[in-house]
C-alpha cells in the first residue's frame, strides 16, 4: 500500500529522492517497485501542489506592492 505524502515540501523531496535511488538500484521485486512508483507519483503531485500554492502566495504578495515586478512562472 502506498504511503501518504509527507506534510512539507523538503520531506517530500527527500522521500522522492530515496525512492528514485531504490528504483534505480534495480534490486526491488516488481510488485514493490510498482508500489514505490505509485508512491512517487503521489509525492510528485503533492510537491507540485505545494509549489503552485507558494507561487500563488508570492503573486498575491507582489500585487500588494505597486513597485514590484510580476512575471509568469515557467517550469
Amino acid at each position: 500500500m502506498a504511503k501518504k505524502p509527507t506534510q512539507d515540501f523538503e520531506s517530500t523531496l527527500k522521500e522522492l529522492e530515496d525512492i528514485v535511488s531504490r528504483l534505480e538500484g534495480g534490486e526491488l521485486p516488481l510488485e514493490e517497485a510498482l508500489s514505490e512508483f505509485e508512491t512517487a507519483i503521489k509525492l510528485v503531485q503533492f510537491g507540485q501542489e505545494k509549489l503552485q500554492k507558494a507561487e500563488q502566495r508570492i503573486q498575491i504578495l507582489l500585487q500588494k506592492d505597486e513597485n514590484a515586478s510580476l512575471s509568469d512562472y515557467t517550469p
Side-chain angles (χ1 to χ4, degrees):
M1 182 169 210
K3 302 171 207 164
K4 283 190 171 183
T6 52
Q7 292 304 307
D8 63 55
F9 182 78
E10 291 76 15
S11 298
T12 300
L13 190 56
K14 173 69 172 117
E15 190 172 348
L16 240 142
E17 290 170 346
D18 293 344
I19 290 172
V20 169
S21 292
R22 287 193 297 273
L23 289 172
E24 287 179 340
E27 300 295 321
L28 296 176
L30 179 60
E31 288 302 317
E32 193 174 337
L34 286 172
S35 178
E36 291 283 3
F37 183 75
E38 181 181 355
T39 300
I41 295 298
K42 290 178 182 180
L43 290 168
V44 167
Q45 291 169 343
F46 180 80
Q48 287 175 333
E49 182 181 313
K50 284 286 199 182
L51 287 173
Q52 287 172 346
K53 287 180 180 179
E55 179 186 2
Q56 289 172 347
R57 282 183 67 190
I58 290 168
Q59 287 182 352
I60 289 168
L61 292 169
L62 288 176
Q63 287 173 354
K64 291 181 181 180
D65 182 359
E66 295 174 4
N67 299 323
S69 63
L70 181 63
S71 60
D72 290 334
Y73 170 76
T74 45

